[in-house]
Amino acid sequence: MDKLPLHIVRRPELDRVFGLLRDNGYTLIGPTRRDGVIQYSEIRSLADLPVGYSDRQGPGSYELVKSETPRCFGFVHGADSWKRFLFPPKRRVFGASRQAGPQAPFDIDDLRSPPPAYAFVGVRACEIAAISILDRVIGSELLDPYYRQARDKMFVLAVNCIEPGGTCFCVSMNTGPRVTRSFDLCLTELGEEFGVEIGSERGAALFKQLTSRPATAAEKELFRLLLERASERMGRHLETEGLPEVLRKSVESPRWQAIASRCLACGNCTMVCPTCFCYNVVDSTDLKCRKAERWRYWDSCFTLEFSYLGPTSVRYEISSRYRQWMMHKLAWWHDQFGTSGCVGCGRCITWCPVGIDITAEASGFRETAPPRAVPATPQQAMPS
Amino acid sequence: MNIPGPLSQKPRLAVYKFSSCDGCQLQILELEDELLELAGEIEIAYFLEARRQALPGPYDIGLVEGSISTPAEERLIRQARKDCKVLVSIGACATAGGIQALRNWADIDEYKKRIYPRPEWVATLDVASPIAGYVYIDFELRGCPVNKRQLVEVLSALLAQRRPHLPTYSLCIECKRAGIPCVMVARKTPCLGPITQAGCGAICPKFNRGCYGCFGPAETPNIAALGRFFQEERNVSRPAMVRMLRSFNGYLEPFKTSSDDYEQCIQP
């Protein structure tokens, strides 16, 4: 721990960081307090952060409360994830127009504006893991140029979680709470000051312009203790050992029906999940039939249209839709992308209106999984 | 929707009104940016809310607002079906019976006696019904009132001879795409969003209120699960459940049967 390259900056230096990032053309997006919830939106200074607030999260419950310690990042995350900026919920893909009737040729407008250079402020370890999962999915499978550009340009000002939320289980998913990769600068709140780690050349160049000092041995010890304590205080736990196998054996389990008796199939879990990437492409025409547009929207495996094949939806029962979601996330994702689809952020637990807890449901299958695996299902070969 | 055969060179539009508040017809008039374009593409032949002149049928497209509540309305809707190539019901009254369908659970003669000095002059049917209870409908546009963007989509689709693309999934999907924090989670507000069809733009959650279900039941609404949660976790009483389900779309299944079940103390 003594070798830990940790620097200390005073809190007002964060405003300098924001200023320098803006001078370099970045659009700063960070946590703000809106409608009683932490939401990621554009920020300009330290004053825009929800300083002195922390969150209480549980299954189907979220509350932002004034905290005794006026920390800058004393909360985990709200429903928003960075997916909203890298892979926007609604996006015009292209438009087509023509001057005359049905036989006339038409022009395609491909005026896709490039994404801004985002500087994401307060990115947590689980969120970095989520972005790296999206990289594998969207960055390669779907080849979304907007995502790629936004991803390549983005500056990550990460924050180590020293106070995990009530639905967090990043330790189980091996994604946190400490930020260890894919960041430019990483902050850790040590009392009134920030511990800073440098994760990239861009980060180092920016850091050079700040007033800082090396951390003392005591501060490094505090850093270690805070993160160790955070690991021990996870709100949830998910045993991942052999979990894909357990779930594969449980395809026909009656537990899916039991979950479906509570599941609203509303799709909230997929919307707030930082790795759920499914989308739908919808065409529209205008009244004159002269202009057409193609839009891409976030979709969800909980809608009927998502699984519409031929005359009907193949996942009519809510049980089969929940099963598709959970099996994909925790089992088939491994086959498809070489990683779990879950980062342990707990959003699907907090933001499920009726509080269905993926960790509790997944563990339930351990108790009831039959000994023999059901043969691989066709879904395994499908992209989503 | 069945894609109709070719429409006339300049398709003729009829807008009918039955038992309703006229709000959905007003949504047509509120299409301020598209109205001139619309008038250029179609001939507005019959639309009493907008113009006095009423040209006789046949028409290519008929938009129907309101529920069927009187014998005269029944005769007129049967004629409208004969007059229109495509018939689209618009709004909760036309697609579900609307707010006036609440009388279907009450004694209509009792109502008449209390309200009208000469109740025998009032001719009503036993129930106020959605249009589809009387004639075949090519497409239904939900909402109280309908969303004007959806109205333009349906008309554009008809003119382009394609299927309209309108969501049937829950309001939650539209709400989360818009970045609105869930009012059930963040405010403990009972919200019908999870069982209600998207389309309004999540107006109420945007203003920190629960959804009232103006767009009617979503594709596979799990009313039982939401109802159990409301009763056990949010202190919503059975009579309150009945009232929540029986609003603009209460006479539409499965809201109708579920509200009956709650009234009769059966867990749906």
Side-chain angles (χ1 to χ4, degrees), chain A residues 332-367:
Chain A
W332 298 325
W333 208 294
H334 286 280
D335 309 325
Q336 208 180 347
F337 303 113
T339 167
S340 168
C342 175
V343 296
C345 71
R347 283 184 179 87
C348 60
I349 306 173
T350 300
W351 296 98
C352 172
V354 292
I356 297 174
D357 181 343
I358 191 174
T359 62
E361 300 308 334
S363 333
F365 287 104
R366 282 191 189 278
E367 294 151 25

Short mmCIF file of all heavy atoms in Angstrom, two decimals, chain A residues 332-367:
data_model
loop_
_atom_site.label_atom_id
_atom_site.label_comp_id
_atom_site.label_asym_id
_atom_site.label_seq_id
_atom_site.Cartn_x
_atom_site.Cartn_y
_atom_site.Cartn_z
N TRP A 332 -26.48 -16.62 -20.36
CA TRP A 332 -26.14 -16.64 -21.79
C TRP A 332 -25.18 -15.54 -22.19
O TRP A 332 -24.47 -15.66 -23.18
CB TRP A 332 -27.42 -16.57 -22.63
CG TRP A 332 -28.31 -17.74 -22.39
CD1 TRP A 332 -27.91 -19.02 -22.13
CD2 TRP A 332 -29.74 -17.75 -22.35
NE1 TRP A 332 -29.00 -19.82 -21.93
CE2 TRP A 332 -30.13 -19.07 -22.07
CE3 TRP A 332 -30.71 -16.78 -22.55
CZ2 TRP A 332 -31.48 -19.44 -21.97
CZ3 TRP A 332 -32.04 -17.14 -22.46
CH2 TRP A 332 -32.41 -18.45 -22.17
N TRP A 333 -25.16 -14.46 -21.41
CA TRP A 333 -24.22 -13.37 -21.70
C TRP A 333 -22.78 -13.91 -21.70
O TRP A 333 -21.95 -13.52 -22.51
CB TRP A 333 -24.40 -12.27 -20.65
CG TRP A 333 -24.07 -10.88 -21.10
CD1 TRP A 333 -22.83 -10.41 -21.46
CD2 TRP A 333 -24.98 -9.77 -21.23
NE1 TRP A 333 -22.94 -9.07 -21.79
CE2 TRP A 333 -24.23 -8.65 -21.65
CE3 TRP A 333 -26.35 -9.62 -21.01
CZ2 TRP A 333 -24.80 -7.39 -21.86
CZ3 TRP A 333 -26.92 -8.37 -21.22
CH2 TRP A 333 -26.15 -7.27 -21.64
N HIS A 334 -22.51 -14.84 -20.79
CA HIS A 334 -21.17 -15.44 -20.72
C HIS A 334 -20.82 -16.11 -22.06
O HIS A 334 -19.72 -15.95 -22.57
CB HIS A 334 -21.10 -16.49 -19.60
CG HIS A 334 -21.06 -15.90 -18.23
ND1 HIS A 334 -19.90 -15.41 -17.67
CD2 HIS A 334 -22.03 -15.71 -17.30
CE1 HIS A 334 -20.15 -14.95 -16.45
NE2 HIS A 334 -21.44 -15.12 -16.21
N ASP A 335 -21.81 -16.87 -22.62
CA ASP A 335 -21.55 -17.57 -23.88
C ASP A 335 -21.37 -16.57 -25.02
O ASP A 335 -20.57 -16.76 -25.93
CB ASP A 335 -22.72 -18.49 -24.24
CG ASP A 335 -23.09 -19.40 -23.08
OD1 ASP A 335 -22.16 -19.81 -22.36
OD2 ASP A 335 -24.28 -19.68 -22.90
N GLN A 336 -22.16 -15.51 -24.94
CA GLN A 336 -22.22 -14.57 -26.05
C GLN A 336 -21.05 -13.57 -26.03
O GLN A 336 -20.48 -13.26 -27.07
CB GLN A 336 -23.55 -13.82 -25.95
CG GLN A 336 -24.08 -13.33 -27.26
CD GLN A 336 -25.42 -12.60 -27.05
OE1 GLN A 336 -26.04 -12.68 -26.00
NE2 GLN A 336 -25.82 -11.88 -28.07
N PHE A 337 -20.75 -13.05 -24.86
CA PHE A 337 -19.78 -11.96 -24.78
C PHE A 337 -18.61 -12.26 -23.84
O PHE A 337 -17.78 -11.39 -23.58
CB PHE A 337 -20.47 -10.66 -24.31
CG PHE A 337 -21.62 -10.24 -25.19
CD1 PHE A 337 -22.92 -10.25 -24.72
CD2 PHE A 337 -21.39 -9.85 -26.51
CE1 PHE A 337 -23.98 -9.87 -25.53
CE2 PHE A 337 -22.45 -9.46 -27.33
CZ PHE A 337 -23.74 -9.48 -26.84
N GLY A 338 -18.55 -13.44 -23.27
CA GLY A 338 -17.43 -13.82 -22.41
C GLY A 338 -17.40 -13.10 -21.07
O GLY A 338 -16.35 -12.97 -20.45
N THR A 339 -18.55 -12.60 -20.63
CA THR A 339 -18.62 -11.92 -19.34
C THR A 339 -20.06 -12.01 -18.85
O THR A 339 -20.96 -12.27 -19.63
CB THR A 339 -18.21 -10.43 -19.49
OG1 THR A 339 -18.58 -9.73 -18.31
CG2 THR A 339 -18.91 -9.76 -20.65
N SER A 340 -20.24 -11.77 -17.56
CA SER A 340 -21.60 -11.66 -17.07
C SER A 340 -22.18 -10.34 -17.60
O SER A 340 -21.45 -9.39 -17.87
CB SER A 340 -21.60 -11.65 -15.55
OG SER A 340 -22.88 -11.26 -15.07
N GLY A 341 -23.49 -10.29 -17.74
CA GLY A 341 -24.12 -9.04 -18.16
C GLY A 341 -24.47 -8.16 -16.98
O GLY A 341 -25.02 -7.08 -17.16
N CYS A 342 -24.16 -8.63 -15.78
CA CYS A 342 -24.53 -7.90 -14.56
C CYS A 342 -23.27 -7.38 -13.90
O CYS A 342 -22.28 -8.09 -13.77
CB CYS A 342 -25.27 -8.83 -13.60
SG CYS A 342 -25.63 -8.09 -12.01
N VAL A 343 -23.30 -6.11 -13.47
CA VAL A 343 -22.15 -5.51 -12.81
C VAL A 343 -22.39 -5.30 -11.31
O VAL A 343 -21.53 -4.77 -10.62
CB VAL A 343 -21.73 -4.18 -13.47
CG1 VAL A 343 -21.28 -4.43 -14.90
CG2 VAL A 343 -22.85 -3.15 -13.43
N GLY A 344 -23.57 -5.67 -10.83
CA GLY A 344 -23.84 -5.56 -9.40
C GLY A 344 -24.16 -4.15 -8.92
O GLY A 344 -23.96 -3.83 -7.76
N CYS A 345 -24.68 -3.30 -9.82
CA CYS A 345 -24.97 -1.92 -9.41
C CYS A 345 -26.26 -1.83 -8.60
O CYS A 345 -26.48 -0.86 -7.88
CB CYS A 345 -25.06 -1.00 -10.63
SG CYS A 345 -26.54 -1.24 -11.66
N GLY A 346 -27.15 -2.83 -8.76
CA GLY A 346 -28.38 -2.87 -7.96
C GLY A 346 -29.51 -2.01 -8.49
O GLY A 346 -30.56 -1.91 -7.84
N ARG A 347 -29.33 -1.36 -9.64
CA ARG A 347 -30.40 -0.48 -10.14
C ARG A 347 -31.70 -1.25 -10.38
O ARG A 347 -32.79 -0.75 -10.07
CB ARG A 347 -29.97 0.19 -11.44
CG ARG A 347 -28.99 1.35 -11.26
CD ARG A 347 -28.71 1.99 -12.62
NE ARG A 347 -27.80 3.12 -12.53
CZ ARG A 347 -26.48 3.03 -12.58
NH1 ARG A 347 -25.90 1.85 -12.67
NH2 ARG A 347 -25.73 4.11 -12.51
N CYS A 348 -31.59 -2.47 -10.92
CA CYS A 348 -32.82 -3.21 -11.23
C CYS A 348 -33.59 -3.56 -9.97
O CYS A 348 -34.81 -3.74 -10.00
CB CYS A 348 -32.51 -4.46 -12.06
SG CYS A 348 -31.42 -5.63 -11.23
N ILE A 349 -32.88 -3.64 -8.83
CA ILE A 349 -33.55 -3.95 -7.57
C ILE A 349 -34.23 -2.70 -7.03
O ILE A 349 -35.40 -2.71 -6.68
CB ILE A 349 -32.53 -4.49 -6.53
CG1 ILE A 349 -31.74 -5.67 -7.11
CG2 ILE A 349 -33.23 -4.86 -5.24
CD1 ILE A 349 -30.60 -6.14 -6.22
N THR A 350 -33.46 -1.61 -7.00
CA THR A 350 -34.01 -0.35 -6.47
C THR A 350 -35.18 0.14 -7.30
O THR A 350 -36.20 0.57 -6.76
CB THR A 350 -32.91 0.74 -6.47
OG1 THR A 350 -31.84 0.31 -5.66
CG2 THR A 350 -33.46 2.07 -5.95
N TRP A 351 -35.05 0.08 -8.64
CA TRP A 351 -36.02 0.75 -9.50
C TRP A 351 -37.11 -0.18 -10.01
O TRP A 351 -37.92 0.22 -10.85
CB TRP A 351 -35.30 1.48 -10.64
CG TRP A 351 -34.46 2.56 -10.05
CD1 TRP A 351 -33.12 2.49 -9.79
CD2 TRP A 351 -34.91 3.83 -9.55
NE1 TRP A 351 -32.71 3.65 -9.17
CE2 TRP A 351 -33.77 4.48 -9.01
CE3 TRP A 351 -36.14 4.48 -9.51
CZ2 TRP A 351 -33.86 5.77 -8.44
CZ3 TRP A 351 -36.22 5.74 -8.95
CH2 TRP A 351 -35.08 6.37 -8.42
N CYS A 352 -37.15 -1.42 -9.51
CA CYS A 352 -38.31 -2.28 -9.79
C CYS A 352 -39.45 -1.72 -8.94
O CYS A 352 -39.33 -1.66 -7.72
CB CYS A 352 -38.03 -3.72 -9.39
SG CYS A 352 -39.51 -4.76 -9.51
N PRO A 353 -40.56 -1.31 -9.57
CA PRO A 353 -41.63 -0.69 -8.76
C PRO A 353 -42.14 -1.58 -7.65
O PRO A 353 -42.62 -1.08 -6.63
CB PRO A 353 -42.74 -0.42 -9.79
CG PRO A 353 -42.07 -0.41 -11.11
CD PRO A 353 -40.89 -1.34 -11.00
N VAL A 354 -42.03 -2.92 -7.82
CA VAL A 354 -42.49 -3.80 -6.76
C VAL A 354 -41.32 -4.50 -6.05
O VAL A 354 -41.53 -5.44 -5.29
CB VAL A 354 -43.53 -4.83 -7.28
CG1 VAL A 354 -44.82 -4.13 -7.68
CG2 VAL A 354 -42.98 -5.63 -8.46
N GLY A 355 -40.10 -4.03 -6.31
CA GLY A 355 -38.94 -4.47 -5.53
C GLY A 355 -38.51 -5.92 -5.73
O GLY A 355 -38.09 -6.58 -4.77
N ILE A 356 -38.58 -6.44 -6.96
CA ILE A 356 -38.06 -7.79 -7.19
C ILE A 356 -36.53 -7.73 -7.18
O ILE A 356 -35.93 -6.87 -7.81
CB ILE A 356 -38.60 -8.37 -8.52
CG1 ILE A 356 -40.12 -8.51 -8.45
CG2 ILE A 356 -37.94 -9.71 -8.84
CD1 ILE A 356 -40.77 -8.93 -9.75
N ASP A 357 -35.92 -8.63 -6.41
CA ASP A 357 -34.49 -8.58 -6.14
C ASP A 357 -33.78 -9.70 -6.91
O ASP A 357 -33.93 -10.88 -6.59
CB ASP A 357 -34.29 -8.75 -4.62
CG ASP A 357 -32.84 -8.70 -4.20
OD1 ASP A 357 -31.95 -8.87 -5.06
OD2 ASP A 357 -32.59 -8.51 -2.99
N ILE A 358 -33.00 -9.30 -7.92
CA ILE A 358 -32.34 -10.30 -8.78
C ILE A 358 -31.42 -11.21 -7.97
O ILE A 358 -31.30 -12.41 -8.27
CB ILE A 358 -31.59 -9.62 -9.95
CG1 ILE A 358 -31.14 -10.65 -10.99
CG2 ILE A 358 -30.42 -8.79 -9.46
CD1 ILE A 358 -30.50 -10.06 -12.24
N THR A 359 -30.81 -10.67 -6.90
CA THR A 359 -29.89 -11.52 -6.12
C THR A 359 -30.66 -12.60 -5.37
O THR A 359 -30.25 -13.76 -5.33
CB THR A 359 -29.05 -10.70 -5.11
OG1 THR A 359 -29.93 -10.07 -4.16
CG2 THR A 359 -28.25 -9.63 -5.79
N ALA A 360 -31.82 -12.21 -4.82
CA ALA A 360 -32.63 -13.20 -4.09
C ALA A 360 -33.22 -14.22 -5.06
O ALA A 360 -33.21 -15.43 -4.78
CB ALA A 360 -33.76 -12.49 -3.34
N GLU A 361 -33.70 -13.76 -6.21
CA GLU A 361 -34.33 -14.68 -7.16
C GLU A 361 -33.30 -15.65 -7.72
O GLU A 361 -33.56 -16.85 -7.85
CB GLU A 361 -35.02 -13.92 -8.29
CG GLU A 361 -36.13 -12.96 -7.85
CD GLU A 361 -37.18 -13.59 -6.95
OE1 GLU A 361 -37.37 -14.83 -7.04
OE2 GLU A 361 -37.80 -12.86 -6.16
N ALA A 362 -32.10 -15.12 -8.06
CA ALA A 362 -31.07 -16.00 -8.63
C ALA A 362 -30.64 -17.04 -7.60
O ALA A 362 -30.46 -18.22 -7.93
CB ALA A 362 -29.89 -15.19 -9.12
N SER A 363 -30.48 -16.61 -6.34
CA SER A 363 -30.07 -17.60 -5.32
C SER A 363 -31.15 -18.65 -5.12
O SER A 363 -30.85 -19.80 -4.81
CB SER A 363 -29.79 -16.96 -3.97
OG SER A 363 -29.40 -15.64 -4.09
N GLY A 364 -32.42 -18.24 -5.29
CA GLY A 364 -33.51 -19.18 -5.13
C GLY A 364 -33.36 -20.41 -6.03
O GLY A 364 -33.72 -21.52 -5.63
N PHE A 365 -32.80 -20.21 -7.21
CA PHE A 365 -32.66 -21.33 -8.14
C PHE A 365 -31.62 -22.34 -7.67
O PHE A 365 -31.65 -23.49 -8.08
CB PHE A 365 -32.33 -20.82 -9.55
CG PHE A 365 -33.51 -20.17 -10.21
CD1 PHE A 365 -33.61 -18.81 -10.32
CD2 PHE A 365 -34.54 -20.96 -10.72
CE1 PHE A 365 -34.70 -18.21 -10.92
CE2 PHE A 365 -35.65 -20.38 -11.32
CZ PHE A 365 -35.73 -18.99 -11.42
N ARG A 366 -30.69 -21.88 -6.83
CA ARG A 366 -29.69 -22.83 -6.31
C ARG A 366 -30.37 -23.92 -5.49
O ARG A 366 -29.96 -25.06 -5.50
CB ARG A 366 -28.70 -22.11 -5.40
CG ARG A 366 -27.67 -21.35 -6.16
CD ARG A 366 -26.56 -20.89 -5.25
NE ARG A 366 -25.70 -19.99 -5.99
CZ ARG A 366 -24.74 -20.41 -6.80
NH1 ARG A 366 -24.49 -21.69 -6.95
NH2 ARG A 366 -24.01 -19.53 -7.47
N GLU A 367 -31.41 -23.51 -4.76
CA GLU A 367 -32.09 -24.48 -3.88
C GLU A 367 -32.90 -25.47 -4.67
O GLU A 367 -33.15 -26.58 -4.24
CB GLU A 367 -33.02 -23.73 -2.92
CG GLU A 367 -32.27 -22.86 -1.94
CD GLU A 367 -33.09 -21.65 -1.51
OE1 GLU A 367 -34.33 -21.72 -1.56
OE2 GLU A 367 -32.46 -20.63 -1.15
#
